[in-house]
């Protein structure tokens, strides 16, 4: 009995000792991003396997002992571990997975940590995009990332940009990157219906290791768009953003003659020598600056964004709406957009997640004429119209041809703009739904169905009241419906071996079905400006229609391996099938391999304290291109023709069943260097070769056609991309950060069809030549003016002088319309709540034919067009040294019209102020408030003499000029 009492006493003493060491600790769990509490977060005592959940205020209490490990977790946040010592309370801050120092990046069907990538991937985040007030997000990408050249061919509201990643890889097939938004393929050029404010980030995939998983569609690079989402377990956040301002012409040097200069010129060259009725005084009282008449320097623009986001423990949501209106600087040109977006996802079960994304956009776009050589085009009218002809009557109304108040030749452009109406409407839908299963840990099975669809309705009306229409107007319209369905199924499994070997394996299947259907109709004989429907026309309606389809079927796999988080290997394999090729050549297989070594993590690097990062990357792989017509491989016939009065079918093409994929082999070598945790430098060298290029090839006309599509030729792109980010200065509340990139690309044609050395591209002024770049320019070399007789002089092919112009003397000029050098750089300054950002973009080494000068320096070819002031130097007498031949020796499209189209542009200047949280807390409503002012395209530095040097074309005439914008706004969160 005494032994039992002794044992019982010992147990009691031991229990008392344990209880003395166990205590209750309290605390709160919050999010790092906004300091909001996280209700429902899990607090687990790993030592005792006991746990609790935080309450509605994020608070918790749990029993602990010294040495216990508490694990804090919440969906969407990084898990945090804390070892208990003598703490009495815990204030735990969880970091969002997307906000960790080593950022998570969407790289395709998977996400990766930035420091584990084997290829050069660039990310443009929401903060960079929101600084640029443009309707299309593709315009906002200009100069933001190395290796990507973005050129806007028009400043018209709602116009899209041309995007090329690491050069042009094809001659005739498509060269646009593959755009994917939240897993759904979206068409290039449709971004005006999407709201830039909804975009969280844009990821640019450039090399084979990054793009080969997309196989046949990735030859020109891949741009992944990730939209904003709500966060689990957060209160609803309401954000309102408003911008208002105006637009004006961005640049545009104008040396056109005023009235005095024009009349002096006319007398100088003898234009009125035989006109007895001419009196100079009849014209001297009027002096019109047509540039100011045509273009509005105060075109209003505004944008309003409202978003609501948040989530419970199991549901996250993001809801937004946008209204934007932008008046064009040209007459009767404006753009209006309505946009709605909903993103949601939820955990249906612990092992099941479902969600969806939906964007609805509707836009209205009124346009003026885009005919390049026409006086109807505002860009031409601003230059070609004579200064002594007024567009207005004495009462201020528009002068008309009909009542004789218009005194000029041909038309009054302002009257024509009122008479010709072009209205374009677009309704765009991009959406997807997905189901994600996790049957056991680290195995994810996901299926997604996506839709990219749209309806376009375009109407053009020529009003019957316009005098030149003689009381009979016309109407034409186009209705187009298109959709692309994408179904993607993937299985992803991640596992570790001995905590040193990490594997990530993905298997997938994808199917794409696309269809476009349209109907075009037109009729003449409208009799009333108010009745402009097809049914109002007198003549029978002429109609046409078409329907095209294509489909893809793909199977792919990707495997990633890392050893000790220092050595990384990525492998991918994809087989694609396309309906655009014949059955014997329909499928092709593409693959890639990428390696990365994190040298910085090696033990021997510890002695190099100055280095904060050092990585080596290398990749090689293949991809393909099938961006040709849906039925180019087929020999087709079409109805609608007649033979001796009988309806007939006629062939429209020979077809080529041997057509197959254009193939691209891509190699990349890169290095990433970090110094002092303040400076990061990325340098990449790439070498790309395109083979089996899809190109229209001349054939014997005895076949009934002059050309057909075939796989011919070879092309190479090689270059260097450099990205530099630096924290230049950090001093108390002041910070100065710099980010810049430089890219160089060398394009070279290695082989053409049939052993040919060169191929002239129509009347474009460019030539395809082995050993030269695409866009290589050729022309007859201009030699100046013969001072003895005022003749224009040229060089023939042998370099001898001649006064006879002939295109047979065209030679290579050693210049190209493709920019070999381009980039951008930003300086950002912040002091307390004040932020200043200065962003420049630039392009160098690019040349373009200024075709406008063919008209404004015509020297008699177009006598009714106004001329440049340089024409006042026209040759007059023997011995005169001048660059302008005698009047009547008209301008030719020769070398003297070629200009350097390089430029540097102050793309964006932004100044903002963020109100202090300590000040806003007194409102008890407003969480953050920012007011800002910004200017877009403020300054342009260039040698180009036209309106604007920015264009992807090789010649310039009649383009809608780029605009500069001044915007003021506020951004408030509740």
């Amino acid at each position: 009995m005494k032994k039992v009492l002794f044992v019982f006493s010992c147990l009691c003493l031991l229990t008392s000792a344990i209880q003395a060491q166990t205590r209750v600790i309290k605390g709160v769990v919050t999010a790092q991003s906004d300091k909001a509490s996280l209700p429902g977060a899990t607090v687990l005592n790993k030592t005792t396997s006991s746990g609790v959940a935080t309450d509605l205020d994020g608070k918790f209490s749990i029993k602990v002992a010294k040495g216990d490990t508490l694990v804090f977790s919440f969906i969407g946040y990084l898990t945090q571990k804390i070892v208990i010592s003598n703490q009495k309370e815990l204030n735990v801050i969880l970091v969002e997975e997307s906000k960790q120092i080593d950022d998570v990046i969407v790289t395709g069907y998977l996400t990766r940590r930035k420091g584990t990538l084997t290829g050069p991937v660039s990310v443009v985040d929401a903060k960079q995009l929101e600084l640029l007030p443009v309707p299309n997000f593709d315009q906002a990408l200009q100069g933001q990332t190395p290796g990507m050249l973005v050129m806007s061919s028009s400043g018209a509201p709602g116009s899209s940009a041309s995007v090329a990643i690491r050069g042009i890889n094809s001659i005739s097939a498509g060269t646009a990157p593959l755009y994917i938004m939240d897993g759904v393929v979206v068409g290039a050029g449709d971004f005006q219906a999407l709201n830039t404010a909804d975009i969280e980030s844009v990821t640019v995939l450039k090399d084979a290791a990054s793009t080969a998983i997309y196989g046949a569609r990735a030859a020109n690079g891949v741009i992944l768009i990730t939209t904003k989402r709500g966060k689990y377990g957060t209160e609803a956040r309401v954000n309102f953003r408003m911008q208002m301002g105006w637009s004006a012409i961005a640049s545009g040097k104008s040396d056109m003659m005023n009235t005095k200069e024009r009349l002096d010129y006319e007398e100088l060259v003898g234009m009125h020598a035989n006109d007895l009725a001419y009196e100079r005084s009849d014209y001297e009282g009027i002096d019109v600056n047509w540039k100011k008449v045509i273009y509005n320097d105060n075109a209003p623009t505004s944008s309003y964004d409202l978003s609501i986001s948040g989530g419970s423990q199991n549901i996250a949501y993001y809801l937004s709406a946008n209204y934007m209106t932008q008046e064009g600087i040209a007459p009767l040109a404006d753009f209006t957009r309505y946009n709605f977006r909903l993103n949601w996802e939820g955990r249906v079960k612990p092992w099941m997640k479902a969600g969806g994304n939906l964007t609805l956009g509707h836009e209205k776009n009124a346009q003026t004429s885009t005919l390049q050589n026409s006086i109807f085009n505002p860009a031409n009218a601003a230059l070609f119209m004579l200064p002594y002809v007024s567009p207005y009557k004495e009462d201020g109304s528009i002068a008309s041809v009909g009542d004789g108040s218009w005194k000029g030749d041909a038309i009054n452009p302002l009257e024509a703009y009122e008479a010709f109406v072009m209205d374009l409407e677009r309704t765009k839908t991009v959406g997807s739904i997905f189901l994600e299963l996790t049957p056991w840990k680290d195995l994810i099975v996901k299926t997604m169905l996506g839709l990219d669809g749209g309806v376009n309705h375009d109407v053009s009306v020529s009003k019957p009241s316009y005098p030149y229409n003689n009381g009979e107007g016309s109407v034409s319209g186009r209705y187009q419906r298109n959709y692309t369905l994408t179904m993607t199924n993937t299985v992803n499994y991640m596992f570790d071996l001995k905590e040193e070997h990490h594997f990530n394996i993905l298997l997938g299947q994808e199917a794409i079905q696309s269809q476009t259907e349209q109907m075009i109709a037109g009729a003449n004989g409208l009799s009333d400006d108010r009745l402009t429907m097809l049914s109002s026309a007198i003549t029978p309606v002429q109609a046409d229609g078409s329907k095209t389809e294509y489909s893809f079927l793909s199977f792919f796999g990707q495997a990633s391996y890392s050893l000790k988080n220092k050595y990384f290997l990525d492998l991918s394999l994809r087989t694609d099938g396309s309906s655009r090729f014949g059955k014997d050549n329909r499928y092709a297989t593409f693959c890639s391999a990428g390696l990365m070594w994190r040298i910085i993590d090696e033990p021997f690097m510890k002695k190099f304290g100055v280095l904060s990062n050092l990585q080596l990357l290398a990749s090689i792989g293949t991809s393909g291109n099938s961006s040709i017509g849906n039925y180019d491989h087929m020999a087709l016939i079409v109805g609608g023709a007649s033979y001796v009065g009988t309806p007939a079918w006629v062939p429209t093409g020979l077809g080529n069943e041997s057509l197959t994929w254009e193939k691209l082999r891509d190699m990349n070598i890169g290095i990433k260097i970090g110094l002092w945790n303040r400076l990061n430098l990325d340098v990449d060298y790439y070498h790309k070769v395109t083979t089996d290029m899809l190109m229209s090839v001349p054939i014997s006309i005895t076949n009934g056609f002059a050309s057909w599509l075939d796989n011919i030729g070879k092309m190479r792109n090689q270059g260097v991309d450099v990205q530099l980010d630096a924290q230049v200065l950090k001093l108390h509340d002041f910070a100065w950060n710099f980010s810049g990139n430089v890219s160089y690309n060398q394009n070279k044609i290695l082989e053409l069809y049939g052993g040919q050395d060169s191929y002239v591209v129509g009347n474009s002024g460019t030539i395809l030549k082995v050993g030269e770049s695409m866009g290589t320019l050729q022309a007859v070399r201009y030699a100046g003016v013969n001072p003895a007789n005022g003749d224009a002089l040229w060089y023939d092919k042998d370099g001898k002088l001649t006064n006879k112009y002939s295109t047979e003397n065209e030679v290579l000029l050693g210049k190209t319309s493709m920019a070999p050098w381009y980039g951008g750089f930003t300086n950002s300054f912040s002091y307390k709540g004040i932020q200043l950002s200065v962003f420049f973009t630039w392009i160098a080494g690019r040349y373009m034919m200024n075709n406008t000068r063919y008209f404004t320096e015509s020297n008699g070819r177009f006598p009714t067009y106004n001329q440049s002031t340089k024409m006042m130097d026209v040759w007059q007498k023997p011995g005169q040294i001048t660059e302008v031949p005698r009047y009547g020796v008209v301008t030719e499209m020769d070398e003297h019209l070629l200009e350097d189209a390089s430029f540097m542009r102050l793309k964006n200047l932004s100044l903002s102020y963020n109100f202090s949280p300590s000040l806003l807390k007194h409102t008890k409503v407003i969480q953050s408030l920012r007011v800002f002012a910004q200017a877009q395209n403020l300054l342009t530095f260039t040698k180009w003499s036209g309106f604007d040097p920015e264009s992807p074309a090789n010649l310039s005439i009649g383009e809608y000029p780029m605009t500069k914008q001044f915007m003021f706004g506020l951004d408030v969160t509740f």
Side-chain angles (χ1 to χ4, degrees), residues 809-949:
N809 289 323
E810 290 183 341
V811 297
L812 299 182
L813 302 177
K815 298 171 181 175
T816 174
S817 62
M818 293 179 59
W821 293 94
Y822 51 92
F825 57 92
T826 303
N827 282 284
S828 301
F829 308 90
S830 63
Y831 177 71
K832 295 186 176 180
I834 301 173
Q835 292 183 323
L836 174 66
S837 175
V838 186
F839 173 40
F840 284 88
T841 61
W842 59 274
I843 288 174
R846 180 177 179 274
Y847 290 81
M848 187 163 54
M849 279 286 186
N850 191 338
N851 200 8
T852 301
R853 290 174 52 200
Y854 180 79
F855 297 90
T856 61
E857 300 173 15
S858 69
N859 207 28
R861 188 187 291 273
F862 303 99
T864 61
Y865 287 178
N866 197 17
Q867 298 291 285
S868 165
T869 55
K870 68 176 62 176
M871 302 308 291
M872 298 293 291
D873 293 329
V874 61
W875 184 92
Q876 291 290 300
K877 58 184 179 181
Q880 180 181 350
I881 305 298
T882 180
E883 296 181 359
V884 183
R886 71 177 186 275
Y887 186 74
V889 180
V890 297
T891 295
E892 304 289 353
M893 286 292 291
D894 56 36
E895 182 190 18
H896 90 285
L897 298 182
L898 185 67
E899 296 185 22
D900 187 346
S902 305
F903 66 89
M904 177 178 287
R905 173 167 281 158
L906 178 51
K907 189 69 176 177
N908 184 265
L909 177 66
S910 175
L911 178 65
S912 65
Y913 177 72
N914 290 278
F915 284 80
S916 170
S918 61
L919 179 64
L920 297 176
K921 70 180 182 180
H922 297 295
T923 68
K924 299 182 180 180
V925 175
I926 300 176
Q927 295 183 14
S928 66
L929 175 62
R930 181 174 69 99
V931 293
F932 59 89
Q934 54 187 347
Q936 178 90 348
N937 298 330
L938 187 60
L939 297 172
T940 301
F941 306 94
T942 182
K943 295 180 180 179
W944 179 256
S945 67
F947 273 139
D948 198 277

Side-chain angles (χ1 to χ4, degrees), residues 704-848:
F705 297 91
S707 64
W708 75 342
L709 198 65
D710 201 359
N711 291 101
I712 57 90
K714 184 185 295 185
M715 179 191 293
R716 183 189 71 199
N717 282 278
Q718 63 178 349
V720 177
D721 295 337
V722 180
Q723 174 75 41
L724 176 65
D725 298 298
Q727 187 183 74
V728 181
L729 184 63
K730 178 66 175 176
L731 184 63
H732 301 297
D733 295 324
F734 178 78
W736 173 15
N737 294 307
F738 172 85
S739 178
N741 63 82
V742 177
S743 298
Y744 172 73
N745 174 262
Q746 182 196 67
N747 176 279
K748 183 178 288 189
I749 297 173
L750 303 179
E751 181 183 312
L752 288 172
Y753 67 94
Q756 296 291 316
D757 178 66
S758 63
Y759 176 61
V760 178
V761 186
N763 296 320
S764 68
T766 63
I767 184 173
L768 301 176
K769 183 175 177 60
V770 174
E772 300 290 339
S773 167
M774 268 193 69
T776 292
L777 296 160
Q778 68 169 12
V780 179
R781 292 169 292 173
Y782 187 63
V785 176
N786 186 340
N789 57 16
D791 277 352
L793 299 175
W794 295 272
Y795 294 105
D796 63 16
K797 281 191 173 182
D798 298 323
K800 297 178 181 179
L801 287 175
T802 176
N803 62 355
K804 301 296 182 183
Y805 175 84
S806 173
T807 56
E808 293 182 358
N809 289 323
E810 290 183 341
V811 297
L812 299 182
L813 302 177
K815 298 171 181 175
T816 174
S817 62
M818 293 179 59
W821 293 94
Y822 51 92
F825 57 92
T826 303
N827 282 284
S828 301
F829 308 90
S830 63
Y831 177 71
K832 295 186 176 180
I834 301 173
Q835 292 183 323
L836 174 66
S837 175
V838 186
F839 173 40
F840 284 88
T841 61
W842 59 274
I843 288 174
R846 180 177 179 274
Y847 290 81
M848 187 163 54

Side-chain angles (χ1 to χ4, degrees), residues 640-649:
S642 64
Y643 180 74
V644 195
T646 303
W649 295 79

Side-chain angles (χ1 to χ4, degrees), residues 415 625 659:
E415 183 182 26
N625 193 343
L659 281 182

Side-chain angles (χ1 to χ4, degrees), residues 397-685:
S397 60
I398 295 176
S400 174
V401 175
D403 60 14
S405 57
W406 170 249
K407 304 302 182 181
D409 292 323
I411 66 166
N412 181 352
L414 298 189
E415 183 182 26
Y417 300 148
E418 296 282 353
F420 293 89
V421 179
M422 299 173 61
D423 289 325
L424 288 68
E425 287 195 49
R426 303 281 189 271
T427 301
K428 180 79 171 175
T429 301
V430 180
S432 66
I433 55 174
F434 73 88
L435 180 66
E436 184 177 293
L437 308 178
T438 309
W440 64 80
K441 184 181 178 182
D442 296 329
L443 177 66
I444 301 174
V445 181
K446 183 176 182 179
T447 184
M448 188 204 72
L449 178 64
L451 168 69
D452 172 28
V455 174
N456 304 334
H457 184 206
D458 305 336
V459 176
S460 297
V461 174
S462 179
K463 296 180 180 179
S465 62
Y466 187 55
Y468 282 122
N469 285 340
N470 297 318
E472 288 195 7
S474 62
V475 58
S476 63
R478 179 178 72 103
Y479 179 86
Q480 183 186 77
R481 176 186 61 84
N482 60 81
Y483 71 84
T484 300
L485 288 173
T486 303
M487 173 169 277
T488 306
N489 301 293
T490 59
V491 178
N492 181 213
Y493 183 51
M494 297 173 287
F495 61 94
D496 296 329
L497 296 178
K498 297 182 179 180
E499 297 184 357
E500 291 187 349
H501 306 274
H502 178 73
F503 296 87
N504 191 341
I505 299 174
L506 174 78
L507 296 176
Q509 173 270 330
E510 190 167 65
I512 297 175
Q513 177 69 40
S514 182
Q515 183 185 99
T516 299
E517 186 174 4
Q518 70 174 2
M519 179 171 288
I520 302 173
N524 299 317
L526 297 179
S527 58
D528 193 309
D529 288 358
R530 297 167 297 178
L531 302 174
T532 58
M533 302 295 291
L534 287 168
S535 58
S536 303
I538 297 174
T539 60
V541 174
Q542 301 294 317
D544 192 9
S546 65
K547 180 179 179 180
T548 65
E549 296 179 309
Y550 72 87
S551 59
F552 277 94
L553 179 62
S554 307
F555 302 91
F556 55 88
Q558 185 175 18
S560 299
Y561 166 73
S562 66
L563 173 62
K564 299 180 179 180
N565 278 325
K566 291 191 294 186
Y567 314 102
F568 296 84
L569 170 66
D570 289 336
L571 301 172
S572 69
L573 182 70
R574 180 168 178 135
T575 296
D576 284 311
S578 172
S579 63
R580 289 172 172 164
F581 302 112
K583 62 180 181 179
D584 295 333
N585 298 290
R586 188 155 290 165
Y587 287 90
T589 299
F590 308 96
C591 59
S592 74
L595 295 168
M596 194 270 283
W597 177 21
R598 287 183 59 89
I599 306 175
I600 191 65
D601 291 335
E602 295 290 355
F604 63 80
M605 292 299 298
K606 293 181 180 180
K607 60 183 178 180
F608 301 102
V610 68
L611 286 171
S612 53
N613 187 32
L614 183 61
Q615 301 177 45
L616 285 179
L617 306 86
S619 65
I620 190 170
T622 60
S623 55
N625 193 343
S626 63
S627 299
I628 58 174
N630 292 338
Y631 308 111
D632 282 351
H633 71 285
M634 303 174 68
L636 301 175
I637 59 175
V638 65
S642 64
Y643 180 74
V644 195
T646 303
W649 295 79
V650 295
T652 60
L654 290 175
N656 184 353
E657 289 296 330
S658 64
L659 281 182
T660 187
W661 302 84
E662 193 172 83
K663 300 177 181 65
L664 178 73
R665 185 180 71 251
D666 185 4
M667 181 269 290
N668 185 92
I669 298 174
I671 185 171
K672 296 179 181 292
I673 303 173
L675 299 174
W676 307 292
N677 280 313
R678 295 182 59 175
L679 186 147
N680 291 286
L681 175 67
D682 296 352
V683 181
D684 289 281
Y685 166 77

Side-chain angles (χ1 to χ4, degrees), residues 239-502:
N239 178 262
F240 175 72
R241 189 177 189 214
M242 177 186 70
Q243 298 184 81
M244 300 184 69
W246 70 93
S247 302
I249 192 168
S251 57
K253 304 169 184 176
S254 180
D255 61 352
M256 304 305 295
M257 296 178 181
N258 60 27
T259 293
K260 181 183 182 305
E261 292 166 333
R262 173 68 191 194
L263 293 175
D264 289 345
Y265 173 72
E266 291 178 0
E267 293 175 1
L268 184 66
V269 299
M271 292 181 65
H272 304 291
N274 299 318
D275 187 359
L276 299 179
Y278 171 76
E279 293 288 343
R280 178 170 177 145
S281 59
D282 294 340
Y283 302 91
E284 289 180 324
I286 301 173
D287 193 358
V288 178
N289 185 334
W290 277 91
K291 180 180 173 183
K292 292 185 177 180
V293 169
I294 295 295
Y295 291 117
N296 183 1
D297 60 359
N298 188 21
T301 180
S302 60
S303 177
Y304 306 89
D305 293 283
L306 178 66
S307 67
I308 304 173
S309 62
S312 64
Q313 175 67 12
N314 294 316
I315 295 178
Y317 61 87
Y318 174 85
L319 177 68
S320 74
N322 165 261
Y323 169 74
M324 179 179 188
T325 179
Q326 182 179 2
E327 184 177 307
I329 60 172
L332 304 178
D334 57 69
F335 175 83
T336 302
R337 180 183 68 200
Y338 308 86
N339 187 276
F340 168 84
R341 183 163 190 87
L342 172 64
N343 290 348
W344 67 274
E345 64 177 56
R347 301 194 71 86
V348 183
K349 295 287 186 180
W351 47 271
M352 178 187 294
K353 184 166 71 172
N357 310 288
L358 177 65
T359 287
L360 296 175
H362 182 74
E363 66 174 84
K364 296 181 179 180
N365 197 347
Q367 294 185 352
T368 47
S369 174
T370 56
L371 297 173
Q372 285 191 329
N373 295 334
S374 171
I375 198 70
F376 285 93
N377 189 317
N380 294 336
L383 301 175
F384 298 167
M385 300 305 296
L386 295 173
Y388 51 68
V389 179
S390 175
Y392 303 108
K393 301 178 185 178
E394 291 184 0
D395 61 2
S397 60
I398 295 176
S400 174
V401 175
D403 60 14
S405 57
W406 170 249
K407 304 302 182 181
D409 292 323
I411 66 166
N412 181 352
L414 298 189
E415 183 182 26
Y417 300 148
E418 296 282 353
F420 293 89
V421 179
M422 299 173 61
D423 289 325
L424 288 68
E425 287 195 49
R426 303 281 189 271
T427 301
K428 180 79 171 175
T429 301
V430 180
S432 66
I433 55 174
F434 73 88
L435 180 66
E436 184 177 293
L437 308 178
T438 309
W440 64 80
K441 184 181 178 182
D442 296 329
L443 177 66
I444 301 174
V445 181
K446 183 176 182 179
T447 184
M448 188 204 72
L449 178 64
L451 168 69
D452 172 28
V455 174
N456 304 334
H457 184 206
D458 305 336
V459 176
S460 297
V461 174
S462 179
K463 296 180 180 179
S465 62
Y466 187 55
Y468 282 122
N469 285 340
N470 297 318
E472 288 195 7
S474 62
V475 58
S476 63
R478 179 178 72 103
Y479 179 86
Q480 183 186 77
R481 176 186 61 84
N482 60 81
Y483 71 84
T484 300
L485 288 173
T486 303
M487 173 169 277
T488 306
N489 301 293
T490 59
V491 178
N492 181 213
Y493 183 51
M494 297 173 287
F495 61 94
D496 296 329
L497 296 178
K498 297 182 179 180
E499 297 184 357
E500 291 187 349
H501 306 274
H502 178 73

Side-chain angles (χ1 to χ4, degrees), residues 15-190:
T15 301
S16 298
I18 294 174
Q19 288 178 344
Q21 294 179 358
T22 303
R23 56 193 172 89
V24 175
I25 190 170
K26 298 180 179 181
V28 63
V29 180
T30 58
Q32 183 192 51
S33 59
D34 54 10
K35 308 304 181 186
S37 61
L38 294 178
T42 301
V43 184
L44 174 67
N45 189 326
K46 189 176 180 181
T47 306
T48 63
S49 299
S50 61
V52 296
T54 59
D55 63 17
L56 293 177
D57 296 320
K59 297 178 179 179
F60 68 91
S61 62
I62 189 172
K63 288 183 178 182
V64 296
K66 189 174 182 179
D68 287 357
T69 300
L70 292 185
V71 180
F72 298 86
S73 61
F74 191 77
I75 297 173
Y77 291 78
L78 296 177
T79 299
Q80 187 176 153
K81 297 179 181 180
I82 296 178
V83 178
I84 300 301
S85 55
N86 298 318
Q87 302 100 321
K88 295 181 180 179
E89 291 186 356
L90 289 176
N91 183 11
V92 181
I93 300 175
L94 295 186
V95 180
E96 298 171 58
E97 288 182 340
S98 60
K99 300 297 183 182
Q100 56 181 307
I101 295 175
D102 200 4
D103 291 330
V104 172
I105 296 177
V106 178
T107 60
Y109 301 97
L110 297 173
T111 58
R112 295 280 294 273
R113 295 200 320 276
K114 187 175 182 179
T116 67
L117 298 172
T118 62
V121 175
S122 299
V123 178
V124 182
D125 62 26
K127 290 183 179 179
Q128 295 169 276
L129 294 173
E130 69 182 14
L131 290 176
L132 303 171
V134 292
N136 291 11
F137 98 94
D138 53 356
Q139 294 179 347
L141 297 177
Q142 187 179 73
Q144 298 277 14
T145 181
M148 182 167 65
L149 177 61
V150 181
M151 299 278 279
S152 297
S153 59
S154 172
S159 60
S160 59
S162 169
V163 180
I165 297 177
R166 290 185 164 183
I168 300 297
N169 299 309
S170 180
I171 293 176
S172 298
T175 59
L178 173 67
Y179 293 90
I180 298 177
M181 186 168 74
D182 295 331
V184 180
V185 177
V186 292
D190 289 339

